[in-house]
Structure formats: structure tokens, C-alpha cells
Amino acid sequence: ESSQSFEDMASIGDFDPLHSTVPATKIEVTVSCSSLISCSLCLSVSLFSTVVVLYIQGIGTKEWREFGRTEVIENTLNPDFVRKFVLDFFFEEKQNLRFDVYNVDTRSSNISKHDFLGQTFCTLGEIIGSTGSRMERTLSGIPGKKCGNIIFTAEELSNCRDIATMQLCANKLDKKDFFGKSDPFLVFYRSNEDGTFTICHKTEVIKNTLNPVWQPFTIPVRALCNGDYDRTVKVDVFDWDRDGSHDFIGEFTTSYRELSRGQSQFNVYEVLNPKKKGKKKKYVNSGTVTLLSFKVESEYTYSLDHTKIKCVPNPSLISGNPAQPTSLHYMSPYQMNTYAMALKAVGEIIQDYDSDKLFPAYGFGAKLPPDGKISHVFPLNGNSEDPNCVAIEGVLEAYFQSLRTVQLYGPTNFAPVINQVARSAQDVTDGSQYFVLLMITDGVISDMVQTKEAVVNASALPMSIIIVGVGPAEFDAMEELDGDDVRVSSRGRFAERDIVQFVPFRDYIDRSGNQVLSMARLAKDVLAEIPDQLLSFMKSKGIEPRPALSASGTPNKPPLNARI
């Protein structure tokens, strides 16, 4: 077996059934080591050959599978590897990684035949979320010995991140409606290699006009032409009909390169109807479409080195005596309750992007000692001056402790805790921090009017709200807050952004009782919208990514695309 066959060993593809079909961000991880220990069999550094092996842990099964290996570097205890690990990054998932370091002393591709030098465990999110996307860890695994250090740097692989914004109008389109004119709209298609077309955009409908002016719209350049600027883009013009049988007015073709010229004589297009053209000798066209404006921008993604995400966990504490097995807060010695599962599932992922790992945690819906005063927002750790808990384990500890000291009590009021976090968020609107409020509840909302007003107000702030419903209750009010179909409104004001994500935990419970898989499924869905919500805030405020900091704390050259 040659050294090359050893280095090329990689035994894993995509083995995680939870990964969505949405294209993932490609992250390139570079590895180096320092101060490695020399194995007892090596008489000198000149006989020392190092390789790093990456393993990825499957969700649910907890099985470690080999993903890939660096090249072998000889003659140094401080190797800097050229071969990278290219990983798919899913913000909403906890991607556990294990890096093992070996001294290669035979030609065998069987890693167990080589000398183990140390290992470390981390998540991909931890690497990306570190300052400058650089993280150093101490190697361990050999009792009584200092194994040295391993250093990771991560970078998003470049791809087409441009977005195009354009506006079009039309003139003298064919009249299609018997009573009235036409209700025109445009449909954009990009061409495929086999001559077919794939739809990529529809404009809004402009009612009762032959001279419509459509609103400006934004489309990713990769959706329009997949990076091929000369690829044919076909545009169909239709007259809208209520029953869906829209009347075809005509079509024209263009390309990204033509559109990028902007408003000019080259971007006035004749709308042609082939059937009419074949039947009528005097047929000229069915009107014209004119490009009014066109601009291209780089689509920003935001580095969590630039924007600090603060997770604020809030379990509702109103569902029965935690000493009784019928309570959703039941503290079983054998397994976590659903509140704890939701806290752990979401918190373990989001904490990778919080540099200080301090989480303010509140309860809502309880009578507090010593006087039994009802509170809808109280610190789980009992410290009103400092509600922060250290990491998610600290949050869980405070949660279980609060169950022993407070009396659970209704009603379920959401507005106080939303306003509590909003007060923190309104003090930091420069893009340096973003707040994620995690609310876990089994009850109906008792203050719906106030809650909707709180959400509308919070939509202008750097924050998102995740609501996890536990138990068998109906959650119609939560669905209304989610705002996917109808934007939340209060007193005639609509939310500036959709910032609420609601999921019922019961939809994610694994039928076999596998809690790890249940938690992974939950976290994947509830966190999926956070990156886009963060971006929508930044764009609404005109905040651009800051230059990344180097390991020394000095600004690097601004990256073309920051990362989230």
C-alpha cells in the first residue's frame, strides 16, 4: 500500500438523514498543529510523519464515521496541512466533529496501525463562530502527557452571491379582457442545456392596464442564469384570469449580460405572439417591454464574529406539579422532560455563536417566594441583578432549581418577556449583537393583544423569537404569531419583518423514543429561519459586514462575503 492510498482514504459521504435538500454553505476547514509529542518509537523528529483524521458524528445514531484525512507531513512537530476539509454547514444543526492526530509509521491505510498522538472534539459551529473563524484547542487522549495543540481556520468557499434588482414596464400590450383592458404580469424562465426552461420569477399583477409599470424586484443572479451571463432568459407576458387560465400575450428573450446594460435602446423588447405572427401578415408585435433600471449587488451573509447572537431561553412554568408524572415539567430520574429537551436542543447549537456563553434565562407564569407574588418574567437563577446562566447546562440547572422553589401558576402572558428582551435589543442596533428569544410553553396566550403589539415593536429590532409548544394543546394563537401567511399586525401597524417561528414539539418526537433524534429534528426546524431573519434586519438598517478581525485583534482586509 502506497503513502498516497493512505492519504486518500475517506469513508464517508452524506449519511445524515436530517440534512435538507436546500444547498448548504460550503465551509473549508484548514488544520495545523503545534508542539506535538514525539512517539516513543521515533528516535528523532526526522522520522516523524503526521496526519489528521476527521470524523463526523451521525445524528441519532451517535456513530463516528471517518470523513477524510490530511496529507502526511514529515519532519516536524508543528505541521501546517495543505489539504483542506470541505464541509456542508447547516446553521440549524449541531455538527459534531472529532479530529484525531497520528504519527504515520507504516504504509498501511488502516489507521489503527499507526501511533495515536491525541484528539479533540468540537462542532463546526464553534469553529465558524470563533474570532476570525480561528480556533485553537489542546489535544488530549494520552494520560499524563501534554499532546500539543491543534488549530482550525474556517472560510466559506466563494460562489456567486450577486443579486440583481430590476424594474420593467410595458407599453401598448394586447387587450385580452372583454370588459376592460388586461391584467398583465411577467414570468421569467432560465434556459436549460436540453432546450427546456425553468421558471425563476413572477412579477405581481397590474390590474386593468395595457401600460403597466411593475414594482422593482430582486432575484439572485444564480437563479436567473446560474452564473452563465449569456444564458438565454425567456420572459412570457400573460393576462391574469381569476380561474387560473391566464391568457398568453407574448414573449421575448434576453440574457443577464443584456439586462446588465441597464436602461437603453437595447433593453426595449418586442413582445411577440408566435401564433398571431403566423396568422396575420401585418402583425408587428403585441406591445413592448422596457427595462427601467438594473443594478447588481453582492448578497451579504453575516459573520458571527461581527454579530454576537444572544440566546434568551424562557420556559413557561404553568403546567402542573413537577413532582407528578402527569406534569410536562416532571423531573424524571431516567429522561429529560420536553421543556429540558427543547432548551438543550436549541441551546447547544446557538451557544456556539455566543462568545461569552452567558445566557439570561427567565421563567413566566409562577408565584415566587417568599410572598407568593405572581410574575410573568423572573430570572430562573433567582438573581434579578444578574439573570445570566453559564452555557446551556447552567440554564438547565437554573430551570430545575426553579421548579423546586416556585409555585407554577397561570395565566400565560407573553408580552412581558418579549418586551424584556426588546429593551436589551433596542440598546444595540448597530449590528454588533442579535438576540434570539426562545420561549417554551404549553398554554394558550392570555394577552394576545399585548403580545401582537410587542411582536410588531420587536420586528424593528435585532431579535428573533422562537416559540416551542409542548404538550397536546391546540396552538392556533401561536400559528397566528408565526406570520408566515399573514404578517402580524397591531392597531393598524404591520410587523416590519417576520421574526417569529413557532413549532409544536410533538411533531418532532421520534416514534422509537430516541430523544437525541427528536431534539435534532426540533433544532433543525426552529433555527432554520434565523440566518435570513438576521440578514433581513441588517439589510433593513443598511448595515454592512465589518472587516473580520485577525487572531491578533487587528482588522483584516474586508472579505468579499462575510459568513454566518
Side-chain angles (χ1 to χ4, degrees):
E1 294 171 318
S2 67
S3 175
Q4 184 67 25
S5 66
F6 171 85
E7 294 175 5
D8 287 344
M9 287 295 294
S11 58
I12 181 174
D14 183 9
F15 65 90
D16 190 342
L18 291 179
H19 285 342
S20 66
T21 58
V22 178
T25 301
K26 295 287 187 183
I27 298 295
E28 182 182 78
V29 177
T30 302
V31 181
S32 61
C33 299
S34 65
S35 304
L36 295 176
I37 59 170
S38 180
C39 64
S40 58
L41 296 180
C42 294
L43 299 178
S44 69
V45 173
S46 63
L47 300 177
F48 198 76
S49 301
T50 313
V51 68
V52 175
V53 184
L54 168 60
Y55 298 86
I56 296 181
Q57 189 175 44
I59 297 176
T61 66
K62 293 296 184 181
E63 180 183 358
W64 289 102
R65 299 276 194 89
E66 184 179 329
F67 180 84
R69 305 178 183 185
T70 65
E71 76 276 19
V72 175
I73 292 185
E74 300 177 344
N75 307 333
T76 179
L77 300 178
N78 304 286
D80 190 4
F81 298 97
V82 175
R83 183 173 296 178
K84 321 293 185 184
F85 297 114
V86 177
L87 302 165
D88 289 336
F89 172 53
F90 299 90
F91 172 81
E92 66 275 14
E93 296 180 16
K94 184 178 184 182
Q95 296 173 261
N96 290 322
L97 311 178
R98 186 184 96 207
F99 294 86
D100 290 0
V101 184
Y102 287 89
N103 174 60
V104 178
D105 56 3
T106 74
R107 291 182 176 271
S108 174
S109 61
N110 185 345
I111 199 67
S112 65
K113 295 184 180 297
H114 303 279
D115 296 311
F116 176 72
L117 300 178
Q119 67 183 183
T120 193
F121 298 82
C122 64
T123 68
L124 183 55
E126 285 181 294
I127 300 175
I128 296 170
S130 300
T131 301
S133 294
R134 181 186 186 278
M135 185 177 77
E136 183 169 349
R137 285 286 178 87
T138 301
L139 293 168
S140 61
I142 301 179
K145 288 195 175 184
K146 294 182 178 179
C147 299
N149 302 307
I150 187 166
I151 302 99
F152 309 107
T153 55
E155 184 175 347
E156 179 182 345
L157 290 178
S158 61
N159 50 31
C160 184
R161 288 285 186 180
D162 290 347
I163 56 175
T165 301
M166 68 184 85
Q167 184 177 22
L168 300 102
C169 68
N171 187 47
K172 296 182 180 180
L173 295 177
D174 284 352
K175 179 178 180 295
K176 290 292 185 178
D177 292 340
F178 188 79
F179 298 104
K181 298 179 180 179
S182 290
D183 304 321
F185 67 98
L186 304 177
V187 183
F188 286 72
Y189 305 85
R190 71 166 184 264
S191 62
N192 302 316
E193 290 185 0
D194 60 0
T196 60
F197 288 87
T198 300
I199 188 170
C200 54
H201 182 75
K202 283 185 182 179
T203 68
E204 78 278 14
V205 176
I206 306 294
K207 294 291 187 71
N208 196 32
T209 180
L210 302 180
N211 303 292
V213 179
W214 289 280
Q215 291 293 319
F217 67 90
T218 297
I219 183 172
V221 171
R222 60 178 175 268
L224 190 66
C225 65
N226 204 26
D228 181 357
Y229 293 170
D230 296 306
R231 175 178 290 194
T232 298
V233 175
K234 183 167 76 78
V235 183
D236 287 352
V237 186
F238 288 94
D239 168 48
W240 177 85
D241 286 329
R242 187 177 300 275
D243 64 0
S245 58
H246 311 307
D247 298 313
F248 178 70
I249 295 176
E251 64 183 15
F252 64 93
T253 60
T254 182
S255 67
Y256 172 86
R257 193 178 299 280
E258 288 183 14
L259 292 169
S260 65
R261 296 178 179 179
Q263 187 178 26
S264 66
Q265 71 270 24
F266 301 104
N267 281 321
V268 179
Y269 301 95
E270 287 189 296
V271 178
L272 301 177
N273 187 321
K275 288 186 178 180
K276 279 191 172 184
K277 188 175 183 180
K279 290 180 179 179
K280 298 181 179 181
K281 292 184 179 180
K282 294 185 178 181
Y283 175 80
V284 178
N285 58 50
S286 294
T288 60
V289 169
T290 300
L291 179 69
L292 295 177
S293 63
F294 187 93
K295 67 177 181 178
V296 180
E297 298 174 300
S298 292
E299 182 183 19
Y300 294 125
T301 55
Y302 281 83
S303 170
L304 298 179
D305 178 41
H306 308 153
T307 302
K308 181 179 179 181
I309 288 186
K310 291 298 297 182
C311 180
V312 186
N314 291 79
S316 165
L317 297 176
I318 65 170
S319 57
N321 187 343
Q324 299 296 325
T326 54
S327 171
L328 293 169
H329 290 289
Y330 178 56
M331 292 186 288
S332 168
Y334 306 109
Q335 61 182 11
M336 290 185 292
N337 63 38
T338 47
Y339 282 87
M341 288 172 63
L343 281 170
K344 188 175 178 66
V346 178
E348 282 194 341
I349 293 176
I350 208 77
Q351 73 177 356
D352 285 346
Y353 307 95
D354 189 322
S355 58
D356 62 15
K357 302 293 187 292
L358 295 177
F359 300 103
Y362 302 93
F364 57 106
K367 289 183 176 181
L368 307 184
D371 54 4
K373 181 181 178 181
I374 298 172
S375 176
H376 298 291
V377 52
F378 60 91
L380 286 182
N381 64 4
N383 186 346
S384 58
E385 298 297 323
D386 183 9
N388 286 317
C389 301
V390 179
I392 290 304
E393 291 305 318
V395 175
L396 288 169
E397 182 180 344
Y399 161 62
F400 288 124
Q401 180 59 33
S402 70
L403 291 178
R404 300 182 182 97
T405 57
V406 305
Q407 180 185 348
L408 311 185
Y409 198 81
T412 306
N413 291 346
F414 275 28
V417 74
I418 294 174
N419 291 331
Q420 174 83 11
V421 178
R423 283 191 288 271
S424 298
Q426 70 185 5
D427 293 335
V428 194
T429 58
D430 61 354
S432 63
Q433 291 194 48
Y434 193 85
F435 293 76
V436 179
L437 170 60
L438 170 63
M439 305 183 72
I440 309 169
T441 181
D442 71 332
V444 295
I445 301 176
S446 304
D447 62 341
M448 189 62 177
V449 173
Q450 294 86 346
T451 295
K452 290 169 71 173
E453 183 175 7
V455 170
V456 170
N457 292 337
S459 68
L461 300 173
M463 65 179 287
S464 292
I465 303 171
I466 297 169
I467 304 175
V468 178
V470 297
E474 294 299 324
F475 295 108
D476 294 344
M478 314 295 182
E479 298 285 1
E480 184 178 351
L481 291 178
D482 195 299
D484 284 340
D485 298 320
V486 180
R487 189 67 59 85
V488 177
S489 63
S490 172
R491 301 180 184 180
R493 291 191 305 133
F494 284 86
E496 290 186 16
R497 303 180 295 124
D498 175 16
I499 64 169
V500 179
Q501 168 77 340
F502 167 74
V503 296
F505 198 177
R506 59 182 175 237
D507 291 352
Y508 299 88
I509 300 297
D510 181 64
R511 293 181 180 179
S512 67
N514 187 326
Q515 284 195 345
V516 174
L517 196 55
S518 299
M519 292 161 60
R521 288 170 175 165
L522 172 71
K524 179 179 174 60
D525 262 20
V526 299
L527 291 173
E529 295 183 11
I530 297 297
D532 286 341
Q533 290 176 359
L534 186 153
L535 287 172
S536 71
F537 171 78
M538 299 299 181
K539 289 182 177 180
S540 71
K541 304 302 180 184
I543 300 171
E544 296 186 0
R546 303 173 186 176
L549 292 178
S550 68
S552 63
T554 57
N556 290 327
K557 182 179 179 181
L560 291 177
N561 294 297
R563 300 172 299 281
I564 187 167

